[in-house]
Amino acid sequence: MAVSKKPSGAQGGGRQIISALQQHVDARKGAGPPRFSLDVVEEKALDAMDTLTARDLSAMMNKFGKIGAHPGKEVLEGMERRGLAIINTYDAKGVALTLHAYAKLKTHPGRAMLEGLEGRAMAKIGDFIPQDLSNTLWAYATLGVTPGTEMLGSVERRAVAEMHRFVPQNIANTLWAYATLGVTPGAELLDAVEGQAVAEMRRFDPQNIANTLWAYATLEMVPGSELLSGLAAHGVENLNTGNFISEHLRQLHLFVVFLKLESSPNDAFVESLTVLEEQLGAAGRAAMADSKATVSDLQRQVVASVKRLGYDYEEETKDPVSGYSIDLLVQPSASSGSDYRSTLGIAIEVDGPAHFLSNTRQANGSTLLKRRLLKKLGYRVVSVPYWEWGIKDDNEHDAYLRRLLSVTVEDALDS
């Protein structure tokens, strides 16, 4: 049947639309072609919009997320308007599915919709099951949005109560979300997470292992000895069978670097660290080396300013221990008026919007981890955030950078 034919009948509109979207989900998994094109399905959705229920809307968003197809502007706006009109009918699963779908589609809900979903989440928090909780936290972190204090507190309390039912993916996604948002979980939640992780650690898959250990490093926390030794041993098994992809290898490598910088010879976890480091070997460093650096226009402007100021610098140099690519590594020259020489130099990180949570000036977890590890390795880390660089002329840029580097040198001399 031609994919341009419209689903018949207005009755049961929501069910028909969801069924048509499911055919597109199945097609991505190798099933036959869908009966109706997405354009036709969206047209039907617009016709039926005022009759759709909260369950219809959340299921539709979930299907769009699974397909990886962004709804058209008119459809998405229509779904938000309808969702807001009936927001008080959303159940816990509907809230979680909707937020998760927005994150999968890399699309921010409108402010009113986000506030509505957050309010509904708090109203229905007692009905959230582990998957709802971890999906909600994952969605916020993926969108780069920190939940409100009341919302986060409600989710934490419910997560503690439900922790005995968390499976490895729930555990890993929860820790990853907190780390990505740069938020330290409360002590009760941390204890509960670690206890459940120990109970479930043999069921952790490579992604769960890598996300969990990366999260601990990003939160500047060393896992308890039982969890660390168990995940290290399980990680080694997966390393031996080649089950880790490059992204996971990078996460493991950064965790090992973090742990080495945190450890002393007498620490109980040194044995686990040694085993994991030996098995990871060059694979972690190679994965970091394969990570391609993108040079932005902002970075090119900063490089030009550094050059005009007469500093000796290297661009996109690799730190040999962490494997991080440093945007600019600077050593003050004679023209800078200082005879200071740092052991490793001044690492200038040119931080565009992707380094921060959405519409904030708060660095995300990956950026925080990079800054911390470089500092621990002996670099003087300087951030040039995009909003401070702004639209200025060359003289203003040079004056800004001169002040920034002068303060860094003076701080180093005083330390």
Side-chain angles (χ1 to χ4, degrees):
M1 184 176 291
V3 297
S4 60
K5 184 176 178 180
K6 193 172 181 177
S8 60
Q11 66 278 11
R15 291 193 301 274
Q16 289 185 348
I17 295 163
I18 293 163
S19 176
L21 288 171
Q22 182 61 45
Q23 291 181 21
H24 284 267
V25 175
D26 294 339
R28 285 175 59 86
K29 298 177 181 178
R35 293 179 64 195
F36 311 110
S37 72
L38 282 177
D39 286 343
V40 169
V41 176
E42 288 194 11
E43 183 183 346
K44 178 64 176 176
L46 287 171
D47 289 344
M49 192 64 70
D50 290 340
T51 69
L52 298 178
T53 66
R55 183 167 293 184
D56 294 334
L57 292 169
S58 60
M60 287 166 60
M61 282 296 294
N62 177 253
K63 302 304 181 190
F64 276 115
K66 287 184 175 180
I67 296 167
H70 197 291
K73 185 175 184 289
E74 189 178 1
V75 173
L76 191 59
E77 289 177 350
M79 291 176 72
E80 283 208 7
R81 281 195 301 271
R82 179 62 180 165
L84 278 170
I86 59 173
I87 195 68
N88 288 332
T89 65
Y90 275 74
D91 60 13
K93 187 176 183 63
V95 172
L97 282 177
T98 301
L99 286 168
H100 189 263
Y102 273 109
K104 290 279 285 185
L105 293 169
K106 295 180 172 58
T107 299
H108 282 75
R111 181 175 178 178
M113 186 64 179
L114 185 59
E115 290 176 351
L117 289 169
E118 189 162 309
R120 194 61 184 161
M122 287 187 287
K124 304 299 290 184
I125 196 67
D127 296 333
F128 273 61
I129 63 174
Q131 186 173 9
D132 298 335
L133 293 164
S134 62
N135 278 354
T136 296
L137 287 169
W138 179 88
Y140 272 100
T142 301
L143 291 171
V145 177
T146 304
T149 303
E150 189 178 354
M151 166 74 166
L152 199 56
S154 296
V155 170
E156 265 201 31
R157 288 187 292 273
R158 182 61 179 170
V160 170
E162 287 289 294
M163 189 55 62
H164 65 285
R165 299 203 293 144
F166 272 51
V167 298
Q169 186 176 21
N170 304 149
I171 295 167
N173 282 355
T174 296
L175 284 172
W176 177 89
Y178 273 95
T180 298
L181 292 170
V183 176
T184 302
E188 190 176 7
L189 179 57
L190 277 172
D191 288 344
V193 165
E194 183 148 327
Q196 185 66 2
V198 168
E200 292 282 322
M201 61 188 172
R202 291 301 305 172
R203 297 175 58 204
F204 275 53
D205 66 19
Q207 184 176 16
N208 300 153
I209 296 169
N211 279 349
T212 297
L213 294 179
W214 176 87
Y216 271 101
T218 302
L219 292 168
E220 293 190 284
M221 294 178 177
V222 177
S225 58
E226 187 175 4
L227 178 59
L228 177 57
S229 60
L231 286 184
H234 196 26
V236 166
E237 292 173 7
N238 281 278
L239 282 167
N240 289 336
T241 52
N243 290 335
F244 286 103
I245 63 174
S246 292
E247 179 186 356
H248 303 154
L249 291 171
R250 286 192 287 271
Q251 289 176 307
L252 290 177
H253 174 76
L254 293 174
F255 174 76
V256 167
V257 173
F258 160 77
L259 208 57
K260 286 179 70 176
L261 293 170
E262 292 292 318
S263 66
S264 65
N266 297 323
D267 286 333
F269 56 75
V270 167
E271 183 178 350
S272 296
L273 169 61
T274 302
V275 171
L276 185 58
E277 184 178 20
E278 286 177 352
Q279 292 301 317
L280 185 60
R285 293 188 295 275
M288 292 294 292
D290 287 342
S291 181
K292 304 300 181 186
T294 301
V295 179
S296 64
D297 288 340
L298 174 62
Q299 183 171 328
R300 292 187 184 94
Q301 292 173 21
V302 175
V303 169
S305 182
V306 168
K307 189 180 296 185
R308 286 194 299 269
L309 291 173
Y311 289 105
D312 297 326
Y313 72 93
E314 296 175 64
E315 190 176 0
E316 294 299 342
T317 185
K318 291 279 188 180
D319 170 65
V321 177
S322 68
Y324 278 127
S325 180
I326 298 170
D327 291 344
L328 285 93
L329 182 60
V330 171
Q331 290 286 357
S333 66
S335 63
S336 70
S338 171
D339 60 359
Y340 163 68
R341 292 293 185 273
S342 167
T343 302
L344 295 178
I346 301 172
I348 299 180
E349 287 296 298
V350 183
D351 293 330
H355 292 270
F356 301 91
L357 300 182
S358 180
N359 299 319
T360 75
R361 296 183 176 183
Q362 180 183 340
N364 60 31
S366 295
T367 302
L368 290 172
L369 179 61
K370 183 176 183 180
R371 290 178 185 174
R372 289 168 184 159
L373 291 186
L374 290 178
K375 285 178 182 178
K376 284 179 177 292
L377 287 165
Y379 295 92
R380 298 286 168 176
V381 180
V382 172
S383 171
V384 178
Y386 68 96
W387 67 83
E388 287 188 2
W389 192 254
I391 303 174
K392 301 180 175 73
D393 61 28
D394 288 351
N395 290 333
E396 291 173 312
H397 281 153
D398 294 352
Y400 166 83
L401 202 56
R402 186 183 294 110
R403 285 194 303 271
L404 194 62
L405 293 177
S406 295
V407 169
T408 302
V409 170
E410 289 168 6
D411 288 346
L413 286 169
D414 290 340
S415 63

